[in-house]
């Protein structure tokens, strides 16, 4: 089965193991363009692995993954680059380039992947840094940033190319509530104003419910619940109900 | 045993990829200059200091031997031949295996474990070309240059030591040093260090780039790089010396 035009990301029976350890077992889900999907699950259940599969940093052992109309598990390097251009990725630990300043971290992708002039690059970098509240730290090295600042800088780098699909691995972990809610707002704004498809891993139920349209819950490598917040709340899986419940 | 064969295969494929990617655009010129400065210029103090110390020590030793034969006039010749043919290239290679090999191994391994290599890939940048190729090329080019610096430092130190002992003039020292040195025993040994440079760049990049362990993988990559680079440099030196002797028979002393 091929996905239809409205599909942004489509997993079909994807399995992934590391050695003898099976991390994902025949996982299938579909994310429509412009939709926000939140991935919930306990630690070590393969959430980050799922995001890395989407951007093809990892390859599945079985199953197929579509990004829009491209089945990426068989793509060659050049075609993969084309697909990756559509995707922005915030890593769980930000993964900033530690030999570059914050400004250079953001200008590198613009300089490499677009034909923008230096002035345009400057203004875009400043704009995105302002959005995440780091405009004053342009010249700072990543090692001098706090954990929460690194997270926001990583988000800025993921956003700077204006991706159609944004993958965010725990965008608000380690942030205070006020900053976290600002980041949620920013993500929501990406979705409503730019129609960005959003796939985010999070442990913050409040933020997830505010931003997410649909939810998937992983447990022991299996997808145990999938649907709207209300659907997951009434799922027959105990873990899923606990993870989505606000009273925790 | 199969593990060892697999390992040799992996390292070879990795090295060949570095050569092949060197000729495929896009070329990472900016990264290359950064690495050349890091690997080349920053190694100069170490090379000069070592060359100096070694040059002085060698003169002291050869002097005490040659004095008994009344052949002290040969000291500059022995010094220059020794340095240009073997000491300069080999010692420069081993020193760089230590300084640069461990550095490249640790840096690339750190980029790997902190997911920075993944981040580069996620931005559609070829991380191998961006990180590995410029480092390998910088090593290949830096090594012969550093070897020359080592040779001349050794020669200058040799002069200083000899001047202290016999008051020989700089002019006479240089004349004697270069009297029996010909291009064939100067150029091939210097150029063979490009091979050492390739070994250092490729092997240490391999350990760093392919590490799959966490923080302890960084230390391991650095140590493994130095050990294997040093070993391969010595082994390849034996082979290269033979090759040079066959290609330039006059240099076989
Ligand atoms: N490159 C890898 N090599 C080997 N095992 C891996 C690798 N990446 C992930 N794993 C394993 O896969 C499992 C899932 O990892 P993953 O990072 O996806 O967890 P997670 O759901 O994101 O957890 P957390 O909420 O703690 O971030 C873990 O048990 C981890 O050890
Ligand atoms: Mg994770």
């Amino acid at each position: 089965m091929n996905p239809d035009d409205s599909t942004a990301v489509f997993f079909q029976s994807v399995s992934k193991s590391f050695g003898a350890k099976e991390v994902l077992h025949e996982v299938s889900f579909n994310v429509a363009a412009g939709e926000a999907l939140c991935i919930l699950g306990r630690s070590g259940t393969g959430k980050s692995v799922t995001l890395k599969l989407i951007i093809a940093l990892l390859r599945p052992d079985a199953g197929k993954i579509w990004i829009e109309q491209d089945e990426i598990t068989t793509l060659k390097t050049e075609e993969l680059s084309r697909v990756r251009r559509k995707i922005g990725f915030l890593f769980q630990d930000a993964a900033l380039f530690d030999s570059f300043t914050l400004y250079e971290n953001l200008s590198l992708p613009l300089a490499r992947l677009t034909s923008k002039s230096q002035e345009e690059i400057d203004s875009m970098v400043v704009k995105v840094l302002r959005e995440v509240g780091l405009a004053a730290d342009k010249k700072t090295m990543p090692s001098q940033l706090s954990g929460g600042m690194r997270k926001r800088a990583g988000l800025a780098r993921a956003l700077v190319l204006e991706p159609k699909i944004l993958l965010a691995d725990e965008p608000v972990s380690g942030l205070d509530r006020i900053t976290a809610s600002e980041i949620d707002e920013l993500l929501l704004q990406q979705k409503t104003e730019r129609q960005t498809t959003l796939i985010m891993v999070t442990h913050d139920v409040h933020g997830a419910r505010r931003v997410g349209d649909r939810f998937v819950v992983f447990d022991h490598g299996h997808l145990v619940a999938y649907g709207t917040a209300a659907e997951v709340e009434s799922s027959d899986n105990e873990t899923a109900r606990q993870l989505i419940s606000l009273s925790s | 045993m199969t593990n060892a064969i697999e390992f040799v295969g992996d390292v070879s494929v990795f090295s060949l990829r570095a050569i092949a990617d060197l000729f495929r655009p896009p070329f990472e010129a900016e990264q290359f200059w950064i690495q050349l400065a890091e690997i080349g210029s920053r190694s100069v103090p170490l090379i000069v200091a070592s060359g100096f110390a070694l040059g002085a020590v060698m003169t002291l030793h050869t002097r005490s031997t040659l004095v008994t034969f009344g052949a002290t006039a040969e000291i500059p010749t022995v010094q220059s031949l020794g340095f240009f043919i073997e000491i300069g290239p080999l010692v420069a290679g081993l020193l760089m295996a230590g300084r640069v090999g461990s550095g490249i191994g640790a840096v690339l391994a750190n980029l790997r474990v902190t997911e920075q290599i993944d981040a580069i890939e996620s931005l559609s940048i070829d991380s191998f070309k961006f990180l590995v190729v410029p480092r390998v090329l910088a090593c290949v080019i830096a090594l012969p240059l550093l070897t020359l610096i080592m040779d001349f430092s050794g020669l200058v130190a040799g002069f200083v030591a000899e001047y202290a002992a016999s008051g020989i003039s700089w002019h006479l020292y240089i004349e004697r040093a270069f009297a029996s040195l010909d291009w064939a025993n100067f150029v091939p040994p210097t150029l063979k260090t490009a091979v050492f440079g390739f070994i250092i760049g490729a092997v240490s990049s391999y350990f760093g780039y392919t590490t799959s362990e966490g923080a302890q993988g960084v230390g391991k990559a650095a140590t493994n790089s130095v050990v294997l680079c040093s070993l391969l440099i010595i082994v390849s030196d034996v082979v290269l010396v033979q090759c040079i002797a066959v290609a330039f028979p006059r240099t076989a002393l």
Side-chain angles (χ1 to χ4, degrees):
Chain A
M1 169 190 134
N2 272 18
D4 54 42
D5 283 348
S6 67
T7 298
V9 176
F10 179 43
F11 266 49
Q12 190 182 43
S13 304
V14 172
S15 299
K16 176 73 187 169
S17 303
F18 292 104
K21 179 172 184 181
E22 189 172 49
V23 176
L24 293 179
H25 179 79
E26 299 198 353
V27 168
S28 303
F29 61 84
N30 176 32
V31 189
E35 186 182 35
L37 179 83
C38 287
I39 301 177
L40 307 175
R42 299 181 58 181
S43 186
T45 45
K47 304 183 297 296
S48 299
V49 167
T50 304
L51 294 189
K52 285 184 186 167
L53 286 166
I54 295 174
I55 198 164
L57 288 171
L58 293 172
R59 300 275 179 156
D61 302 328
K64 292 187 166 146
I65 299 171
W66 272 272
I67 305 298
E68 296 181 340
Q69 299 301 307
D70 293 295
E71 206 285 289
I72 59 165
T73 56
T74 53
L75 285 189
K76 297 221 174 53
T77 320
E78 299 88 58
E79 295 164 314
L80 202 54
S81 296
R82 179 174 53 76
V83 174
R84 280 175 174 165
R85 290 285 308 273
K86 301 175 189 169
I87 306 177
F89 192 179
L90 164 62
F91 284 80
Q92 187 164 357
D93 297 314
L96 299 170
F97 305 130
D98 54 20
S99 56
F100 292 172
T101 63
L102 207 47
Y103 174 86
E104 288 164 340
N105 264 279
L106 271 69
S107 64
L108 177 79
L110 287 169
R112 300 286 300 228
L113 304 175
T114 67
S115 48
K116 293 193 179 350
S117 71
Q118 190 57 47
E119 292 82 58
E120 286 172 299
I121 291 178
D122 274 351
S123 73
M124 286 193 76
V125 170
V126 171
K127 174 173 149 270
V128 178
L129 281 179
R130 195 176 307 125
E131 281 174 353
V132 298
L134 290 173
D137 298 287
K138 238 169 79 156
K139 299 211 173 70
T140 315
M141 300 305 281
S143 58
Q144 294 163 325
L145 296 175
S146 74
M149 289 163 95
R150 297 167 65 93
K151 225 7 147 350
R152 287 183 278 149
L155 182 61
R157 189 178 64 192
L159 288 175
V160 79
L161 283 169
E162 308 193 322
K164 288 173 79 176
I165 301 170
L166 177 65
L167 311 178
D169 201 341
E170 305 193 7
V172 299
S173 71
L175 296 182
D176 61 278
R177 292 185 91 160
I178 302 170
T179 316
S181 111
E182 280 169 12
I183 295 295
D184 287 337
E185 199 54 47
L186 179 65
L187 293 173
L188 210 52
Q189 191 189 331
Q190 292 292 318
K191 189 176 85 113
T192 49
E193 287 174 16
R194 297 200 40 251
Q195 282 76 49
T196 308
T197 306
L198 193 62
I199 300 182
M200 91 176 183
V201 171
T202 186
H203 295 300
D204 170 36
V205 190
H206 292 272
R209 281 177 171 251
R210 195 157 136 224
V211 179
D213 299 313
R214 286 203 286 168
F215 302 81
V216 298
V217 182
F218 287 149
D219 194 22
H220 292 99
H222 292 261
L223 192 156
V224 293
Y226 176 33
T228 62
E231 283 165 349
V232 174
E233 268 174 344
S234 59
S235 125
D236 47 15
N237 184 285
E238 171 74 26
T239 313
R241 286 200 307 274
Q242 277 179 3
L243 284 170
I244 197 100
S245 111
L246 282 166
S247 58
S248 55
Chain B
M1 187 62 200
T2 47
N3 270 348
I5 293 172
E6 209 178 294
F7 173 75
V8 171
D10 284 351
V11 178
S12 312
V13 169
F14 188 91
S15 310
L16 291 176
R17 183 172 165 204
I19 297 174
D21 274 5
L22 180 60
F23 299 101
R24 277 196 306 121
F27 305 110
E28 302 285 354
E30 194 187 339
Q31 289 302 311
F32 166 72
W33 291 114
I34 293 173
Q35 291 309 321
L36 192 61
E38 171 63 36
I39 292 164
S41 326
R42 300 240 176 109
S43 301
V44 169
L46 172 67
I47 291 289
V48 169
S50 313
F52 226 80
L54 218 54
V57 168
M58 192 164 125
T59 293
L60 297 179
H61 278 305
T62 43
R63 185 164 185 72
S64 61
T65 312
L66 292 182
V67 158
T68 53
F69 298 105
T72 48
E74 296 298 326
I75 289 175
T77 315
V78 173
Q79 183 85 0
S80 73
L81 285 178
F83 258 88
F84 282 104
I85 292 176
E86 195 52 57
I87 295 178
L90 186 64
V91 174
L94 291 175
L95 284 174
M96 286 301 101
R99 194 191 103 85
V100 174
S102 63
I104 293 179
V107 167
L108 291 186
N110 183 51
L111 292 179
R112 172 67 74 191
V113 302
T114 55
E115 297 187 314
Q116 292 179 58
I117 293 184
D118 281 346
I120 292 172
E121 288 286 328
S122 78
L123 296 171
S124 312
I125 299 171
D126 185 334
S127 63
F128 191 89
K129 271 195 199 154
F130 191 74
L131 298 171
V132 176
V133 175
R135 282 178 167 79
V136 175
L137 185 61
C139 285
V140 169
I141 291 176
L143 252 272
L145 298 175
L146 291 170
T147 301
L148 282 182
I149 295 175
M150 177 114 204
D151 292 344
F152 283 101
S153 311
L155 213 56
V156 170
F159 164 72
V160 172
E162 183 56 22
Y163 178 79
S166 70
I168 189 172
S169 78
W170 169 249
H171 187 78
L172 182 61
Y173 187 88
I174 289 301
E175 195 179 286
R176 285 187 181 160
F178 285 94
S180 43
L181 191 71
D182 111 354
W183 284 110
N185 37 43
F186 164 57
V187 176
T190 306
L191 286 184
K192 85 179 171 188
T193 60
V195 176
F196 299 167
F198 182 75
I199 290 172
I200 295 170
V203 169
S204 58
S205 295
Y206 171 82
F207 281 116
Y209 191 81
T210 61
T211 187
S212 56
E213 291 153 83
Q216 78 184 43
V218 177
K220 225 163 150 184
T223 314
N224 286 342
S225 301
V226 178
V227 173
L228 191 61
C229 288
S230 311
L231 202 67
L232 286 180
I233 284 175
I234 293 170
V235 172
S236 68
D237 192 40
V238 176
V239 177
L240 288 167
V241 166
Q242 296 299 323
C243 294
I244 293 172
V246 171
F248 302 89
R250 280 179 310 148
T251 65
L253 293 171

